[in-house]
Amino acid sequence: MKQLFSREPFALLAFSVVILAMPLWLTPLGANYPDLLQKFAIFAIFAMGFNILFGLTGYLSFGHAAFLGVGSYAAVWSFKLFTMNVLPAIFFGVAFAGLFGLLIGYISLRRSGIYFSILTLAFAQMCYNLAYSVLTPITNGETGLQLTLQDPRIIDRAFAEAGAGLPETNLFGIDMSGYPGFYFCAVMLIICFFITRRIFNSPFGLMLRGIKSNQNRMGYTGFATRPYTLTAFVISGMFAGLAGSLLAVTDPLAGAERMQWTASGEVVLMTILGGVGTLIGPMLGAWIIKYFENIFSSFNNATLENAFSFLPEGLRTMAVDVSSLFVGEGWHLTLGVLFMLIVIFLPGGLMEGWRRLLRRFSGGGGGKSETAPVVQPAE
Amino acid sequence: MDAILLQFLNGLDKGGAYALIALGLTLVFGTLGVVNFAHGALFMLGAFCAVTFNKLLSLEQVVLDETKKTAWGTATEIRTPYIESWFGELGSFLLDYSVPVSILVTIPVMLLIGIVMERGLIKHFYNRPHADQILVTFGLAIVIQEIIKHYFGANPIPQAAPDIVDGSANIGALFGLGDNIVYPWWRLVYFGFSATIIASVFAFLQFTTYGMVVRAGMRDSETVGMLGINIQKRFTVVFGLAAVVAGLAGVMYTPILPPDYHMGMDFLVLSFVVVVVGGMGSLPGAVLAGFMLGILQSFASMTEIKSIFPGIDQIIIYLVAVVILLTMPRGLMGREGVMEE
């Protein structure tokens, strides 16, 4: 099974099927509405990109949300100035994020460890603060950058007159709201997965892992590590830029709060939760966090009363009181607790938990003995 | 000239807060080797100690006075805080001075919280990578923050300084520089307070035997342990001390900035920058960098400077951090071999 899975076309095919069928298999979980599905795909891209830097190369960036923000702003500007077609928007989002990545990475990568984290944090906070204050002509400050009726949109105007209302983002005529938007993001996710997989299996990826385990030794063997780390940084920034521009594609609005350091913290969390340095871990982490964010924050006391209705009166009020701490407004508390538990007990994230389970079953013998010999040689 | 002096003063109280938080961070890092992202939450908890204390003191007794009628024909409510009806003069004194008096409550509370936190959580992370430490304490900070938000709400809760220092000091007249320099008393108090705390922490480390052992432990905890000293226990106490320092910084800051649940995080990010600029593991560096960045920030918010470099006040701290880290790899006063893998 595992050897079959490692074959390129098969892996890609299986992955594509799983992603494109998301509206189907998420239905029983109550998560099959397009808004949430789009977020699943977008944040999976974000976390995957972050993982290339943190998981493979070992640099913990605390300012990755800056690229997300830059991507969003660039995409919205492309909508405003040129056309509502999403392809140029994505191109600009990725390109600008890449440029920012080159600049910030060139400076920040001179230091490693916590110094690197602080430098990236400093740059991201600078972007955030400037977006709120001085750069208001570009970012529209607190209101956030939006489409208006006065936008030039020169390419669109060359072909057709401006319509009455605000136009929708589209891909050659297909509106990018609802399910088409999700499928577009899903295709992007599949492409990103393909790229990430190639990076993981390439000599370049091996080099990055070498840098993670011991940068000095890599230096001694004659590799200049800086170009490798910088490339990883830029790639991961471009992934974030892509995610940011997709956010703008599904909802053409960009605000500075996307760049705040809490947003950077969130992507770190997703990656840790899923499993640092694994291929699909960060994606799983992103899904779980976005899922819980949607589900938990929509709970209120009435739903809790319903859920605990099988308990006797006194116990029920107690259960509702305690659990109401964790849902609705307080879902961040759940997030924090979950986060701590993962870091304390399962530092490798969900993927490590999965491996442990596999090992237990394969070690336990008995009924699973047929699969065990297949799994072990592949390790 | 007046404006410059005023900005200098402005920077002192903010710098004092940065310095106190950064001092605690550095103490923890220097002794336990743990990067504590929950330190800002301790600052916030301190502030909420003051809030709780004030709330307890101002619990009111409601007496209905039937002889006086309000415009609606109901009896007038006369509200007196219990503490005033019990202790009279002393009660109203306590109520007025609730912020400084709450220090007495805060010290044991924060010491306890710090020690519980160290024994319960941080202890298990001594030998884990720094990234794990950052992440778990970050999670803890979120948890503390959300609990506070649940009980106190999301809005800032203003706290009043004692009446006697409520107004502004005419500093100019005091030093014979004209009447233009007027400055709130409480901010001066805060600066004096933070300077006192910093001085006493240094004195504790420098002039007591306990402090000497701690300093020795910071250099080489293994050797100290071999000499038969339970260095771990002392480090736990130091963690508690750092929590107390952060808590006190929070208590006294409440009249300047009404506390809300995310004030800790706001200060933590800046304080981390301060620690790194000062040099990881260097106590004087942390204090120096704290005051330096506080003062620089207030200078950058002068209109004259803002008109030349728009937006500079928003980014000055980060800008300075970037420049210092790139030119001085270990920060201002960092020691060799700290945090360098």
Side-chain angles (χ1 to χ4, degrees), chain B residues 46 237 282 284:
Chain B
V237 172
S282 159

Side-chain angles (χ1 to χ4, degrees), chain B residues 152-200:
Chain B
F152 291 88
N155 294 327
I157 307 166
Q159 298 291 306
D163 276 340
I164 188 166
V165 286
D166 206 20
S168 293
N170 196 337
I171 307 221
L174 280 176
F175 292 104
L177 288 169
D179 286 338
N180 296 330
I181 309 172
V182 182
Y183 197 68
W185 270 112
W186 186 258
R187 290 176 179 245
L188 291 176
V189 172
Y190 192 85
F191 169 64
F193 174 78
S194 53
T196 318
I197 297 277
I198 290 166
S200 35

Side-chain angles (χ1 to χ4, degrees), chain B residues 167-251:
Chain B
S168 293
N170 196 337
I171 307 221
L174 280 176
F175 292 104
L177 288 169
D179 286 338
N180 296 330
I181 309 172
V182 182
Y183 197 68
W185 270 112
W186 186 258
R187 290 176 179 245
L188 291 176
V189 172
Y190 192 85
F191 169 64
F193 174 78
S194 53
T196 318
I197 297 277
I198 290 166
S200 35
V201 168
F202 275 94
F204 169 71
L205 288 174
Q206 208 67 37
F207 302 125
T208 63
T209 322
Y210 203 98
M212 188 186 72
V213 174
V214 169
R215 274 187 299 134
M218 283 169 88
R219 283 282 177 80
D220 187 347
S221 62
E222 230 169 273
T223 313
V224 177
M226 279 176 206
L227 293 173
I229 296 168
N230 187 352
I231 191 72
Q232 215 50 62
K233 200 172 131 202
R234 301 195 180 215
F235 281 175
T236 307
V237 172
V238 169
F239 191 95
L241 185 75
V244 169
V245 169
L248 291 183
V251 169

Side-chain angles (χ1 to χ4, degrees), chain A residues 285-316:
Chain A
W287 289 351
I288 289 175
I289 286 181
K290 283 293 149 193
Y291 178 72
F292 279 122
E293 181 181 330
N294 261 273
I295 302 301
F296 271 50
S297 55
S298 67
F299 274 16
N300 52 28
N301 278 353
T303 33
L304 285 178
E305 292 272 354
N306 262 332
F308 290 111
S309 54
F310 60 91
L311 290 172
E313 180 65 36
L315 271 179
R316 191 199 311 160

Side-chain angles (χ1 to χ4, degrees), chain A residues 210-222:
Chain A
I211 291 170
K212 183 183 184 180
S213 64
N214 195 328
Q215 185 158 6
N216 283 338
R217 230 175 262 174
M218 285 297 284
Y220 297 151
T221 51

Side-chain angles (χ1 to χ4, degrees), chain A residues 2-147:
Chain A
K2 197 156 186 179
Q3 276 161 350
L4 190 65
F5 195 75
S6 63
R7 241 177 263 150
E8 190 90 49
F10 179 79
L12 202 62
L13 191 71
F15 184 79
S16 313
V17 170
V18 170
I19 296 296
L20 292 175
M22 267 167 91
L24 292 179
W25 59 264
L26 282 174
T27 310
L29 296 171
N32 63 335
Y33 46 100
D35 263 11
L36 186 57
L37 289 171
Q38 289 164 359
K39 283 217 179 84
F40 277 3
I42 292 169
F43 282 92
I45 295 176
F46 190 23
M48 253 185 200
F50 180 76
N51 188 40
I52 293 176
L53 184 66
F54 180 41
L56 272 188
T57 324
Y59 279 79
L60 173 57
S61 157
F62 240 84
H64 231 58
F67 302 121
L68 192 79
V70 168
S72 289
Y73 282 127
V76 176
W77 271 113
S78 151
F79 291 142
K80 283 168 87 75
L81 292 181
F82 305 119
T83 165
M84 291 305 289
N85 195 320
V86 294
L87 291 181
I90 286 179
F91 169 76
F92 283 116
V94 173
F96 271 94
L99 277 178
F100 263 70
L102 197 64
L103 184 76
I104 295 178
Y106 181 76
I107 300 173
S108 309
L109 285 166
R110 287 159 176 269
R111 298 280 168 268
S112 59
I114 191 163
Y115 294 101
F116 172 80
S117 303
I118 293 289
L119 278 173
T120 46
L121 176 67
F123 278 112
Q125 284 295 94
M126 275 197 245
C127 291
Y128 169 71
N129 286 340
L130 287 180
Y132 255 123
S133 56
V134 186
L135 296 181
T136 308
I138 302 177
T139 61
N140 205 11
E142 278 183 50
T143 339
L145 194 61
Q146 302 165 347
L147 302 177

Side-chain angles (χ1 to χ4, degrees), chain A residues 107 111 114 129 134 272 343, chain B residues 128 135 311 314 325-326 339:
Chain A
I107 300 173
R111 298 280 168 268
I114 191 163
N129 286 340
V134 186
I272 299 281
V343 180
Chain B
R128 299 272 287 267
L135 294 169
Q314 307 284 332
L325 281 186
L326 291 179
M339 278 307 275

